[in-house]
Amino acid sequence: MQQILSLQAAEGMVLAKDVNTPDGRILCGKGTTLTASMIDRIIKMEVGYVTVEGHPVQVEGEKSLEQELADIEKRFSRVKHVPPLMYIKKKIMQRTVAGRKGA
């Protein structure tokens, strides 16, 4: 999942979290596929951010999933002989992949 500016939202994106109004009411529920009219309403309600499934918006300077996994691999390269740290590395990599896929 990815948190993006409301202005970056596009038709067809699927909400990964509920979108709430500034006073706390649910404007659109998790799992909703965005339409142009929904996006206009979100922007008019001055909701700054929405969280969508997947990773549809590429941000300049942001690392790809492969680059992030390579960085994690590099960080743990000196402790390959320490099983508890390898377990932590595995969990970090799983969370990184799941975060990108919106799981």
Side-chain angles (χ1 to χ4, degrees):
M1 76 181 77
Q2 182 181 28
Q3 186 179 49
I4 60 173
L5 294 171
S6 297
L7 295 172
Q8 294 174 312
E11 285 186 83
M13 290 181 176
V14 178
L15 294 174
K17 292 184 177 179
D18 292 341
V19 175
N20 296 323
T21 61
D23 62 354
R25 291 179 293 152
I26 295 176
L27 183 60
C28 298
K30 175 183 174 182
T32 302
T33 301
L34 293 175
T35 63
S37 62
M38 286 180 192
I39 295 167
D40 287 343
R41 189 167 182 197
I42 289 169
I43 292 169
K44 285 178 184 171
M45 296 292 291
E46 299 181 358
V47 175
Y49 295 90
V50 295
T51 304
V52 295
E53 292 183 359
H55 199 83
V57 176
Q58 293 299 316
V59 178
E60 187 176 322
E62 185 178 53
K63 294 178 181 177
S64 70
L65 177 60
E66 291 76 22
Q67 289 171 323
E68 283 191 50
L69 294 176
D71 285 350
I72 294 168
E73 194 71 49
K74 184 178 176 183
R75 277 187 226 132
F76 283 87
S77 64
R78 287 193 260 169
V79 292
K80 287 183 176 181
H81 61 285
V82 183
L85 294 177
M86 290 297 96
Y87 176 78
I88 291 171
K89 180 187 102 176
K90 179 181 171 185
K91 290 298 181 184
I92 290 171
M93 292 178 93
Q94 288 173 342
R95 283 183 169 229
T96 301
V97 171
R100 286 294 183 101
K101 292 182 178 178

